[in-house]
Amino acid sequence: MTVLAPGENRPAPGDQLTVTVASSASVDVSALLVNAAGTVRSDADFVFFNQPTGPGVVYRHGNGGPDVVAVQTSALPADVDKVVITASLDGRGPATFASVGALTTTIESGATALTFPISGLTTESGVVCVEIYRRGGAWKVRAIGQGYDDGLAGIASAFGVNLDDEVPAAQSAPVPPAQQQPSFSSQQGAQPVHSDLFDASHAEVNGLGIQKQGGKMVKVGMNGEVMARAGSMVAYQGDLKFEALGSGGIGRAIRQHLTGEGVPLMKVTGRGDLFLANSAADVHIIDLDGTDGLTINGANVLAFDSTLRYDIGRVQGAAGYASNSGLFNCVFTGRGRIAITTHGTPVVLTVDQATYADPNAAVAWSSSLQTGIKRNDSFGLGRLMGRSTGEASTLAFSGRGFVIVQPSELPPGGLIGGTGGGQQAGTGGGIFG
């Protein structure tokens, strides 16, 4: 085994390379396919936990051991100048590499191995470990060890990966007015089977866009596209195409991985009727007119118009606290319709005075509200509140707006399908960035 010094380069030991990054802390490993200009050709050249394959490059999760990136140099496109291997702290351990012990990158091919121990990192939460680069028709390996204070997001951005997650202009039909009630039409006619199931109350609702179909399902009259929770389709008619989007963009995928919050999405396009549900949870429709946003737990998102933009943001005033409700929630802005779910029939509180709610019962609220964490000891309630989270704290709201509170303190992932993130439902997330 040959040990590399920082900046040292050696011929690649073979065509098929296995790159392993081992650390005393939990890290995420990724690879970027970079052109001669030093940037990725497109976001598809960023190979990581949410996008594990690229041309000539495959990411494999360590499943308890170190993550591995396999590189076949002969399969790399001609306009790829190098493959950059990175490691970043995943939020489950130290915030920086200063308190991390060993961090070692090993490049193997057959019986030959090159190893590069990385040291001297302080405030950094991400590091470019090594690069496999093309030189004079041959491939070489260079030890880098360059740190980044802003972790995986900073590394990806430095190499030209788009983290904005802008949603393309919507092609779906206009959102129906919020006050319009769905009309029912019995379409069965004379049936050889008789049942109260053929009552008009069970027939499909008419019209385009997202509409309530009873109390626990939505129907989307499709003539364009809609964003929906992955796996929420229960039926459809017509010519529809389903495309898995993971978190809905690389930027959100990174934030979702680190925070445990987000929505696993699929994009549905075409013409027809789409029916969505989530574990028989109660369904509600909200129309946003662009003047205020909606902050919502990702576990409660069922579907939304592609005219809306969503991101993952920290709940204001929640620094230093941990809760099953998640200190990072989804924030929706723009004009369009969103379908949410609750466990039971909720109450909508008008916030015109100090308002408090159990973190797991507060489903959504106006983004213009100010939020904070109130220690329940200050109420004299001690452990009587917050019992589902094990935290003696309550969400506090001030300003003018509304809060939707469900009659349940189940953590995300209870009976309504889990958080949107790649983390285990009901666990607290780390701190992004």
Side-chain angles (χ1 to χ4, degrees):
M1 182 177 292
T2 301
V3 179
L4 301 177
E8 184 178 358
N9 61 75
R10 294 273 182 146
D15 172 51
Q16 298 192 18
L17 305 173
T18 300
V19 184
T20 305
V21 181
S23 172
S24 56
S26 181
V27 296
D28 290 319
V29 177
S30 61
L32 299 106
L33 284 70
V34 178
N35 59 22
T39 62
V40 295
R41 301 169 303 168
S42 71
D43 289 351
D45 286 342
F46 183 29
V47 179
F48 68 124
F49 49 81
N50 207 56
Q51 187 169 265
T53 61
V57 179
V58 177
Y59 162 85
R60 295 198 296 270
H61 193 278
N63 294 321
D67 289 356
V68 174
V69 175
V71 179
Q72 184 176 353
T73 56
S74 61
L76 294 171
D79 55 348
V80 169
D81 191 58
K82 59 186 173 184
V83 178
V84 178
I85 307 296
T86 78
S88 56
L89 294 169
D90 65 2
R92 291 180 290 175
T96 72
F97 278 110
S99 56
V100 175
L103 177 64
T104 303
T105 304
T106 304
I107 305 98
E108 298 177 281
S109 182
T112 306
L114 305 174
T115 184
F116 174 43
I118 302 172
S119 60
L121 299 175
T122 55
T123 60
E124 300 89 342
S125 57
V127 59
V128 172
C129 300
V130 298
E131 63 182 23
I132 301 164
Y133 65 101
R134 195 192 305 262
R135 182 60 54 86
W139 287 92
K140 305 187 74 173
V141 174
R142 178 181 289 118
I144 303 295
Q146 178 184 352
Y148 287 76
D149 285 352
D150 41 3
L152 181 57
I155 294 173
S157 179
F159 287 96
V161 177
N162 177 24
L163 299 180
D164 291 338
D165 295 336
E166 291 290 345
V167 179
Q171 301 175 0
S172 54
V175 176
Q179 68 273 16
Q180 180 177 326
Q181 297 298 318
S183 60
F184 293 83
S185 173
S186 179
Q187 302 172 3
Q188 285 84 6
Q191 296 288 333
V193 177
H194 301 276
S195 171
D196 59 3
L197 286 172
F198 300 125
D199 185 83
S201 62
H202 296 140
E204 300 176 35
V205 297
N206 293 325
L208 295 173
I210 301 173
Q211 303 164 77
K212 287 184 69 173
Q213 176 72 55
K216 299 180 183 295
M217 189 183 304
V218 297
K219 174 189 173 182
V220 187
M222 295 287 300
N223 185 22
E225 70 178 39
V226 72
M227 312 297 286
R229 172 176 290 276
S232 63
M233 185 275 291
V234 294
Y236 74 93
Q237 295 175 307
D239 184 16
L240 300 183
K241 177 183 177 183
F242 298 82
E243 178 185 357
L245 295 180
S247 316
I250 287 176
R252 280 194 293 271
I254 295 172
R255 290 188 288 277
Q256 175 175 306
H257 182 71
L258 295 178
T259 64
E261 183 60 62
V263 188
L265 293 176
M266 61 182 179
K267 181 170 70 173
V268 187
T269 56
R271 295 174 60 91
D273 296 323
L274 172 66
F275 297 88
L276 305 169
N278 192 1
S279 300
D282 293 338
V283 172
H284 312 277
I285 302 295
I286 300 175
D287 289 292
L288 300 182
D289 65 4
T291 59
D292 195 1
L294 180 70
T295 299
I296 180 172
N297 193 306
N300 300 88
V301 177
L302 181 60
F304 57 94
D305 287 325
S306 57
T307 51
L308 293 175
R309 171 184 170 84
Y310 99 89
D311 209 337
I312 300 171
R314 178 189 290 278
V315 176
Q316 297 175 7
Y321 290 88
S323 162
N324 283 337
S325 71
L327 301 185
F328 298 82
N329 276 6
C330 297
V331 181
F332 287 83
T333 54
R335 295 176 59 89
R337 172 165 285 193
I338 181 171
I340 71 170
T341 58
T342 63
H343 183 227
T345 303
V347 61
V348 180
L349 301 178
T350 299
V351 179
D352 52 10
Q353 58 185 317
T355 303
Y356 305 92
D358 183 283
N360 286 327
V363 170
W365 56 87
S366 306
S367 295
S368 56
L369 290 175
Q370 289 78 54
T371 58
I373 296 293
K374 185 79 168 180
R375 295 291 300 185
N376 287 335
D377 290 342
S378 64
F379 293 113
L381 296 177
R383 286 283 179 173
L384 293 179
M385 296 184 69
R387 59 188 179 277
S388 66
T389 66
E391 296 292 327
S393 57
T394 301
L395 273 176
F397 301 91
S398 60
R400 303 191 69 85
F402 66 89
V403 179
I404 302 171
V405 181
Q406 66 181 8
S408 169
E409 296 175 303
L410 284 174
L415 295 182
I416 53 177
T419 62
Q423 305 282 4
Q424 182 178 354
T427 61
I431 298 176
F432 175 68

